[in-house]
Amino acid sequence: MQTVGMSFSPRAALIFLAAAFAPALVPQEQRKDPLIRLWHGDLRRVGHLGDLQDDLNIGGHIEAWRELDRLQYRVNGGHPIPLSFRAFRRLARDGDFNADVPIGMLAAGRNTVAIEAWFRDGRSARKDVTVIRQNGSSPLPLQVRWRDVRHIDDAGQAVDGEWLVTAEGLRTARPGYDRLFLIGDRSWRDYEVRTSVTIHSLETETPSYSGGHGVGLILRFAGHVTGGPRHFPSGQPKWGYQPFGAIAWLRWNRQDPARAPVIQFYRGDSDQTAEFGAFSLEAGSTVGLRFACRTLPDTVDGAGVTEYRFRLWRLPAEEPDTWNLTYVQTSRDALRQGGLALLAHHVDATFGDVSVRPVSDALRQDR
């Protein structure tokens, strides 16, 4: 095994207030300007765990965003790529940024990704991120023990939002839209995941485009897209969220989040969902999660068929023998392989240790 290191009373999550040709490089004394805050440090690695997605995500926050005139990034001194910094989907609040840095633009070894900002009062700021591109893999079975993780890149990729490695697990530093952490490799196909999640609180509101709160897992995730079967528009960051394999999660009612959440299956090719009953729990509860995918024979016209099974249970109780949901998804567009994404959608949550193992054709009904 590879080791890498409800009745619900929601509380308000903490809310911190806080391209033409570019001008010449910012003077050295300005490069340490604290106006640009990087969420996961200025030394990053990519590729050492295999092929997770097309991009390395470098996220952070601009403290003086109200005065911000232009924000961009450069790879190894190349052409500037504009960055968005107003709240929308993957950017949870004004001043956030998330650079989709194409891994194909990175040379083997050491690279420099510069985040550059210009303000209306003439100030400028720059933060350099050293990115080490390597070649590696994430063979199964795989175990992530958070107590052994020294840097978040040792376990996977922070796709969206700021994440903290704590003694209890991986926690959202601030809840928001689709806080995602990706583990594994795009070559993964049939596998099952075991983990746990502690639900601390819900955000008080969700934007109209993002629906209700949710927390759970995505199987066969391979990154955000422009275009695709649903013709998503471009953006920086991209926000096309499909296709993927499938989501299984707890989903709260947007109009009445105090109501117990439901166990929901979310298809990988559309916004069609199926619900499998309510699951009552209290704030601070920890639940165990197990989610499996198994490829079945294609249909006669070539559509992919996958069986998904999901169960959850309150810890510290023993894992039950029965599945909460079984769903056979037939789709031409849903992904047939891809990694695991931990998903906290407008939920402050901590994910526990993660275990992933292959699923054989003899996946048993009970275990």
Side-chain angles (χ1 to χ4, degrees):
M1 174 179 289
Q2 181 190 19
T3 301
V4 295
M6 138 171 147
S7 291
F8 196 96
S9 299
R11 308 192 303 266
L14 291 176
I15 300 176
F16 291 88
L17 300 176
F21 290 104
L25 292 179
V26 181
Q28 182 66 37
E29 62 271 14
Q30 291 180 300
R31 296 182 188 178
K32 299 180 180 180
D33 197 312
L35 292 171
I36 302 176
R37 187 169 73 88
L38 298 171
W39 283 335
H40 300 115
D42 59 5
L43 178 60
R44 304 292 304 277
R45 291 194 296 157
V46 67
H48 57 295
L49 299 176
D51 177 22
L52 281 77
Q53 58 176 6
D54 288 341
D55 304 307
L56 169 66
N57 289 110
I58 298 177
H61 185 74
I62 306 296
E63 298 298 337
W65 60 267
R66 290 180 179 82
E67 291 77 44
L68 189 59
D69 180 61
R70 187 166 79 257
L71 184 68
Q72 64 188 34
Y73 78 90
R74 298 172 184 265
V75 177
N76 295 325
H79 66 279
I81 300 174
L83 288 172
S84 302
F85 55 88
R86 301 306 297 264
F88 181 68
R89 294 189 180 266
R90 295 177 67 190
L91 304 182
R93 59 177 176 148
D94 289 333
D96 286 357
F97 64 89
N98 189 346
D100 283 329
V101 180
I103 295 172
M105 293 180 63
L106 301 173
R110 185 175 297 265
N111 299 263
T112 299
V113 177
I115 309 295
E116 301 170 336
W118 284 266
F119 299 86
R120 288 192 288 269
D121 63 3
R123 288 180 299 166
S124 58
R126 169 173 164 171
K127 280 287 183 71
D128 286 349
V129 182
T130 298
V131 178
I132 309 300
R133 181 179 177 183
Q134 300 170 293
N135 290 317
S137 63
S138 290
L140 294 176
L142 179 143
Q143 181 87 21
V144 177
R145 297 188 181 96
W146 295 111
R147 66 181 180 272
D148 298 330
V149 173
R150 296 294 174 260
H151 187 278
I152 203 165
D153 290 347
D154 296 340
Q157 284 192 31
V159 177
D160 281 302
E162 181 179 10
W163 294 85
L164 300 175
V165 178
T166 72
E168 292 73 33
L170 182 69
R171 181 169 181 173
T172 49
R174 181 191 311 274
Y177 175 98
D178 277 8
R179 307 297 82 178
L180 289 178
F181 188 84
L182 182 56
I183 295 171
D185 193 289
R186 283 194 285 196
S187 66
W188 284 6
R189 186 173 179 85
D190 294 348
Y191 57 96
E192 68 172 23
V193 179
R194 278 192 181 93
T195 187
S196 64
V197 62
T198 301
I199 300 160
H200 305 292
S201 65
L202 308 184
E203 285 195 295
T204 53
E205 297 180 356
T206 62
S208 59
Y209 52 74
S210 64
H213 311 77
V215 64
L217 305 172
I218 309 177
L219 298 191
R220 298 176 173 175
F221 184 77
H224 292 85
V225 304
T226 296
R230 298 189 62 184
H231 309 290
F232 289 107
S234 61
Q236 183 52 256
K238 303 184 292 289
W239 60 268
Y241 50 88
Q242 286 178 327
F244 48 75
I247 297 174
W249 60 349
L250 288 172
R251 191 73 188 269
W252 282 260
N253 184 287
R254 186 169 177 240
Q255 283 70 42
D256 186 10
R259 186 189 307 174
V262 297
I263 300 168
Q264 186 181 86
F265 181 88
Y266 194 132
R267 290 181 59 94
D269 57 0
S270 69
D271 289 334
Q272 179 182 341
T273 60
E275 296 182 354
F276 293 82
F279 190 87
S280 180
L281 74 166
E282 301 292 336
S285 297
T286 300
V287 297
L289 306 175
R290 182 177 174 187
F291 194 15
C293 57
R294 180 169 66 109
T295 302
L296 301 179
D298 289 357
T299 64
V300 294
D301 59 353
V305 183
T306 300
E307 177 189 67
Y308 288 93
R309 296 184 181 186
F310 180 67
R311 68 166 58 124
L312 72 168
W313 64 99
R314 296 171 187 82
L315 293 173
E318 291 293 321
E319 179 180 348
D321 291 337
T322 58
W323 298 95
N324 294 94
L325 73 84
T326 298
Y327 190 101
V328 176
Q329 176 175 270
T330 300
S331 175
R332 291 187 174 278
D333 297 323
L335 295 188
R336 305 189 195 190
Q337 58 188 45
L340 158 71
L342 310 179
L343 167 61
H345 185 62
H346 301 293
V347 177
D348 181 10
T350 296
F351 288 91
D353 291 349
V354 179
S355 174
V356 189
R357 67 178 185 178
V359 169
S360 71
D361 289 341
L363 177 69
R364 295 190 300 172
Q365 176 71 27
D366 60 341
R367 300 299 290 177

